Amino acid sequence: TANKKRETRTMKLTLQIARPPVIQIALDYATIDEALAMARIGIEAGVDWLEIGTPLIVSEGVAPIGKMVRAFPDFPVLADYKTMDSGWKNVERTAVQGGHVMTVCAGSPDETVRSAIAESKKSGVWVVADTIGVKDQAARARQCAGWGVHMIYLHYGADQRKADATRDSTQWLEEVQRAVSIPIGVGCFDVEDAARAAARGAELIAIGHPVISAADPAAELRRFVREVKEAYRPRNK
């Protein structure tokens, strides 16, 4: 039944988070063929979650979610919409495609975040609150967690990184850890900030470019997964 499928899917995700750190590969490509090829490389390297990146959704819509699920049925698939409106609708779209997780911007209207959470209770799709652009990260994370999001995702964006390469998403990790008890994901740029996030107890580490666009992405991803998992230390709750 549909309820049984939702239960099985949610149980699988819970078990994944119960053994952190989860390594999520951001498949930020323009075509599903490129994304599928890199997903296969990432799985062989040891990644845990597959992300349909925003560029791919912009280029090809929601169809890549279903294609990724069918290609790799044993791996959770996240749809990174960066939702700013109609939160419930993007949860519904994810569910229709068989996806497991979706993102809503923590900086979107309260109603958008809450509508996504409400729809997630019907479908079993997880809702991740992406903090890109949020000024008071701890306060907004606490609010979103109180409403019922499944994870907070700390996100220092690519444009921010270009403007100031001395900072990354780990800058907010400790304050947000004090604010919420739900899992926290961290968007990273390389193995250095990823290992730092893992050592401080981040439950999920996301990586895309430049690691996946390296000369030898398979080798880089293997090193990334190994060093991040070795660096992990549970957070104090």
Side-chain angles (χ1 to χ4, degrees):
T1 66
N3 286 337
K4 185 63 177 178
K5 289 180 180 178
R6 288 196 293 269
E7 180 184 351
T8 301
R9 178 169 59 202
T10 303
M11 285 174 60
K12 179 173 183 177
L13 291 171
T14 302
L15 290 171
Q16 293 259 353
I17 290 295
R19 289 192 279 275
V22 167
I23 307 295
Q24 174 179 309
I25 185 171
L27 301 165
D28 290 331
Y29 293 103
T31 70
I32 184 59
D33 289 341
E34 292 172 292
L36 288 169
M38 186 53 64
R40 189 168 290 104
I41 291 171
I43 288 169
E44 291 174 354
V47 305
D48 304 296
W49 285 20
L50 307 174
E51 174 191 326
I52 302 297
T54 309
L56 184 51
I57 292 175
V58 170
S59 296
E60 297 195 3
V62 298
I65 302 168
K67 292 178 181 178
M68 190 66 65
V69 169
R70 290 188 293 275
F72 305 106
D74 295 328
F75 289 82
V77 173
L78 177 146
D80 186 21
Y81 300 99
K82 294 190 178 69
T83 306
M84 286 296 291
D85 195 12
S86 299
W88 69 274
K89 190 65 177 177
N90 281 351
V91 173
E92 183 182 74
R93 290 185 175 109
T94 305
V96 167
Q97 292 294 325
H100 310 94
V101 190
M102 62 82 71
T103 62
V104 62
C105 287
S108 67
D110 295 357
E111 294 83 356
T112 298
V113 180
R114 297 179 77 167
S115 76
I117 295 165
E119 185 65 27
S120 80
K121 293 176 180 178
K122 302 176 186 177
S123 67
V125 170
W126 278 28
V127 175
V128 174
D130 184 318
T131 69
I132 190 167
V134 170
K135 299 303 180 184
D136 190 335
Q137 298 259 329
R140 189 58 169 171
R142 185 183 299 110
Q143 195 169 35
C144 291
W147 289 331
V149 301
H150 297 86
M151 183 188 299
I152 302 296
Y153 178 70
L154 306 182
H155 192 170
Y156 187 65
D159 291 333
Q160 292 171 300
R161 180 76 169 185
K162 287 179 182 178
D164 184 357
T166 67
R167 305 176 74 189
D168 55 53
S169 301
T170 64
Q171 64 187 294
W172 303 297
L173 181 54
E174 292 176 356
E175 65 180 278
V176 174
Q177 285 175 326
R178 290 191 294 268
V180 305
S181 60
I182 62 173
I184 298 172
V186 178
C188 298
F189 296 98
D190 53 39
V191 72
E192 181 182 345
D193 61 328
R196 191 183 324 121
R200 296 178 184 177
E203 284 85 4
L204 179 143
I205 306 294
I207 189 65
H209 298 291
V211 170
I212 63 173
S213 51
D216 187 347
E220 285 298 307
L221 282 167
R222 285 194 299 270
R223 182 172 76 93
F224 183 91
V225 171
R226 182 181 67 253
E227 294 190 17
V228 169
K229 291 198 179 268
E230 287 176 353
Y232 177 73
R233 298 293 181 273
R235 67 194 269 199
N236 294 320
K237 293 187 179 181

